[in-house]
Amino acid sequence: MSCHRIDELLELLTPVWQKNQQLNLAEMLQKLANEAGFDKSLNELTDDVLIYHLKMQPLQNNEMIPGIEKDFVEDYDFKKALLKARGFTDENTD
């Protein structure tokens, strides 16, 4: 795991761990794995699972997933976008 991933994980983990100071590191990781629905052994838990879970944890169920929000288009018409990408103009789609 690269240094920036470690820094990101520690930044995300710090506030959660401060709320659960009675837990040691292994217990904290197991708690997060359980919350994330990770059902394999703890040694198979990846930093990606932890980072994703810690980023998603504070969001409400109806909030947009971080990273997807920037690409979201309201009332997106896939058919028109596909025709446009293939070189058809709006006049040819009617």
Side-chain angles (χ1 to χ4, degrees), residues 12-29:
L12 293 166
L13 186 59
T14 299
V16 176
W17 204 355
Q18 286 175 343
K19 292 177 185 175
N20 299 283
Q21 293 180 5
Q22 74 281 4
L23 301 177
N24 65 41
L25 179 58
E27 292 170 332
M28 187 70 214
L29 294 176

Side-chain angles (χ1 to χ4, degrees), residues 3 5-6 12 18 20 26 30 40-41 47 54 56 58 62 65 69 74 78-79 81-84 86 90 92 94:
C3 287
R5 300 285 285 177
I6 293 170
L12 293 166
Q18 286 175 343
N20 299 283
Q30 186 64 62
K40 298 177 183 175
S41 66
D47 56 318
L54 289 166
M56 295 302 295
N62 58 351
I65 296 172
E69 186 174 16
E74 191 74 34
F78 182 76
K79 181 179 175 183
L82 186 61
L83 290 172
K84 182 178 178 183
R86 290 189 175 178
D90 289 339
N92 294 358
D94 293 333

Side-chain angles (χ1 to χ4, degrees), residues 56-69:
M56 295 302 295
Q57 196 175 31
L59 298 180
Q60 301 297 321
N61 287 341
N62 58 351
E63 286 187 66
M64 185 70 64
I65 296 172
I68 292 179
E69 186 174 16

Side-chain angles (χ1 to χ4, degrees), residues 1-14 45-55:
M1 182 166 41
S2 63
C3 287
H4 77 278
R5 300 285 285 177
I6 293 170
D7 291 340
E8 182 179 15
L9 184 56
L10 289 175
E11 181 182 322
L12 293 166
L13 186 59
T14 299
L45 183 64
T46 64
D47 56 318
D48 291 328
V49 171
L50 290 170
I51 290 171
Y52 181 78
H53 177 66
L54 289 166
K55 283 184 176 182

Side-chain angles (χ1 to χ4, degrees), residues 67-79:
I68 292 179
E69 186 174 16
K70 66 179 175 56
D71 297 324
F72 180 74
V73 176
E74 191 74 34
D75 298 326
Y76 184 75
D77 187 347
F78 182 76
K79 181 179 175 183

